Amino acid sequence: MVEVRVLWRPETHTFHFPCGECTVTLEDVAVQLRLPIDGSPVTGVSSFTDPGAVCYQLLGESPEDGDKYFSGIKFTWLKAKIRQLSATATEGELMCVARAYIMHMIGAVLMPDANDDCVHLSYLPLLADFSTARRYSWGSAVLATLYRELCRATKPQVKDIGGCLILLQSWALYRMPFLARFSHQPYLYPLLLR
């Protein structure tokens, strides 16, 4: 078996191979994750004067009643919120649960932080109105987060990595099929195919 040395170069945001360089692009994000790459940038308020009020308004309740200045929502709370959905839920309750589900997807799959078990509250106001939420360039934010995490992971003291690693794995297998153990078996990603 031949060892291939691959380096991520933070200066250029590219992987360097012995035969050249390549990187994950916005086109890869659009094709593999089917996220929009055009539209308004995904930005949000970094701190809230009353995060509990934002959560009550958009999620129907606040996860951190004792902490007035929280900035993230724990995945365990979001999962419990999703499981609370009853068969007789109102449209408002369905919207709150849908926001909780999307927040969980953002924080756990699309833009996870390697150091946390929560999603930053700054994404929640972007989900206030679902018709405008689809107009954001979510794909650009996912790629920027992946680049940031890959750059952070090049530091010697870092032992973990965040970012959309399913995108990175899918991109690597698509762009470099020689990485697949059995090339005759297609790799399927159910999440990406939905």
Side-chain angles (χ1 to χ4, degrees):
M1 188 160 152
V2 178
E3 179 181 333
V4 177
R5 186 171 170 91
V6 179
L7 296 173
W8 173 258
R9 300 300 299 238
E11 311 84 38
T12 58
H13 292 119
T14 56
F15 289 102
H16 285 247
F17 294 91
C19 60
E21 59 186 56
C22 62
T23 193
V24 184
T25 65
L26 279 174
E27 180 185 14
D28 294 313
V29 176
V31 169
Q32 294 182 37
L33 296 180
R34 300 210 178 177
L35 290 173
I37 57 173
D38 297 322
S40 302
V42 175
T43 59
V45 180
S46 59
S47 63
F48 296 91
T49 55
D50 192 358
V54 173
C55 288
Y56 275 113
Q57 178 187 1
L58 298 174
L59 296 174
E61 58 186 297
S62 179
E64 307 286 340
D65 287 328
D67 186 4
K68 188 177 179 181
Y69 301 107
F70 65 94
S71 62
I73 304 173
K74 294 198 178 296
F75 295 144
T76 52
W77 186 88
L78 289 169
K79 288 179 189 176
K81 175 82 177 152
I82 295 166
R83 286 188 201 114
Q84 287 176 0
L85 186 62
S86 70
T88 60
T90 64
E91 185 176 345
E93 291 169 332
L94 286 172
M95 299 295 271
C96 290
V97 170
R99 285 186 194 98
Y101 181 79
I102 294 169
M103 287 291 287
H104 186 271
M105 290 297 295
I106 289 171
V109 178
L110 297 175
M111 294 183 269
D113 182 351
N115 301 321
D116 261 338
D117 62 346
C118 63
V119 59
H120 199 277
L121 193 58
S122 63
Y123 301 115
L124 186 56
L126 302 175
L127 304 174
D129 180 11
F130 288 133
S131 63
T132 59
R134 70 179 58 174
R135 294 188 193 129
Y136 287 106
S137 179
W138 292 101
S140 301
V142 168
L143 186 61
T145 303
L146 180 62
Y147 280 2
R148 185 185 69 233
E149 287 295 321
L150 287 168
C151 291
R152 190 182 65 78
T154 61
K155 297 177 181 154
Q157 69 274 18
V158 174
K159 295 181 170 72
D160 53 9
I161 187 171
C164 189
L165 298 181
I166 195 166
L167 169 64
L168 185 61
Q169 184 181 15
S170 161
W171 167 82
L173 291 173
Y174 178 74
R175 297 288 184 187
M176 296 168 274
F178 60 86
L179 292 174
R181 177 179 268 173
F182 301 106
S183 60
H184 64 278
Q185 286 184 325
Y187 279 82
L188 299 177
Y189 293 91
L191 175 67
L192 300 176
L193 295 175
R194 281 190 218 162

